[in-house]
Amino acid sequence: MKYTFFFISKLLRLCYCCMCMHLSTLFTKIKFWTNNVSFGRNLESSGIPFVHLSLHASCDIGCNFTIGNWAVLNASGIKGKSKIEVRNNAHLKIGDNVGMTATTIMCFNKILIGDNVKLGVGVHIYDTDFHNIDPMKRLAGDNIQTVKTKPVVIGNNVFIGAYSIILKGVTIGENSVIGAGAVVTKSIPANEIWAGNPAKCVKILK
């Protein structure tokens, strides 16, 4: 009797999760459509992300895109949703077979993410400083036009570990790996493993 109850409860939980996945994927597609985000086939979403595109911004997402927004379905238990925000005149392009969980992408200039890229839970990608370095400009209201931005490029087959931060102007070469919690402040060649704060090369992949 105990095993029967256990089996039924597991089956009901599986059915509930499948139903929620289908519904959240549908609502995510609607959110993308209403924000003029173009996306390919086989999009899958657990939970509903935060998505915002400003005037004249653009966002293109490839096929087989997976985006996680539920604490129950990620290893860290983090409760935050993924956030995709593209500001005025900026462009975000995400390739095919990309997966992310509770990831934040803030695009003020240009961010290009290649194919087969994995973004670990809590990863942040910024192509802007958000604020001026000059304290007088910050005190004067932090005019967005004077804040520095530089494009970010992430190559094919890159894996970025959990809670890493990718800052403006960075290019990460194909097949490279970023260790969990790294802060990437400069460009990384292809086929290398980088980790730490600031991130440094710890291994060359053969």
Side-chain angles (χ1 to χ4, degrees), residues 179-204:
V183 178
V184 183
T185 60
K186 59 184 179 181
S187 293
I188 294 173
N191 302 299
E192 293 188 2
I193 299 177
W194 284 50
N197 180 9
K200 299 178 180 178
C201 181
V202 295
K203 186 175 181 180
I204 296 177

Side-chain angles (χ1 to χ4, degrees), residues 14-28:
L14 178 62
C15 291
Y16 172 77
C17 287
C18 288
M19 182 182 68
C20 289
M21 282 283 289
H22 285 297
L23 286 174
S24 58
T25 295
L26 174 61
F27 286 125
T28 298

Side-chain angles (χ1 to χ4, degrees), residues 54-69:
S54 297
L55 188 66
H56 304 308
S58 61
C59 179
D60 301 307
I61 299 174
C63 299
N64 307 312
F65 179 59
T66 304
I67 183 167
N69 309 280

